[in-house]
Amino acid sequence: MAQKNTPVKETNQEPFVFQKTNYMLMIVSIVVVILGFIIMAGDTDIYSSSKIVIAPIIVLIGFAIGFVAILKKPANNN
């Protein structure tokens, strides 16, 4: 069988979509969301203000940080 000669493609490595700050913000958001769920699942009274007010606000703040981490544009160092 005849072999086809295919040209060798040059591999231009494209930069990552996210930078280190994006990943750090994403990790922080995951930690904040987990902290909110831990506060929500405590062993104390079901109707305590920390479970029905503070913990959901902490979870929403964690999701907001994750949203910012995804949408943050990389800084151009040129």
Side-chain angles (χ1 to χ4, degrees), residues 7-77:
V8 177
K9 294 181 182 177
E10 291 184 25
T11 57
N12 293 335
Q13 289 188 356
E14 295 182 16
F16 289 112
V17 175
F18 296 131
Q19 290 186 338
K20 185 177 179 180
T21 55
N22 296 89
Y23 289 116
M24 294 302 290
L25 281 172
M26 189 59 71
I27 291 170
V28 168
S29 72
I30 291 169
V31 169
V32 170
V33 169
I34 290 172
L35 177 70
F37 279 114
I38 288 172
I39 293 172
M40 211 180 299
D43 293 332
T44 59
D45 183 27
I46 279 182
Y47 300 109
S48 67
S49 64
S50 66
K51 283 188 172 188
I52 63 172
V53 176
I54 297 170
I57 291 173
I58 291 173
V59 170
L60 288 176
I61 289 171
F63 285 134
I65 294 171
F67 187 72
V68 169
I70 291 171
L71 293 181
K72 184 176 179 348
K73 289 188 178 184
N76 291 335
N77 294 331

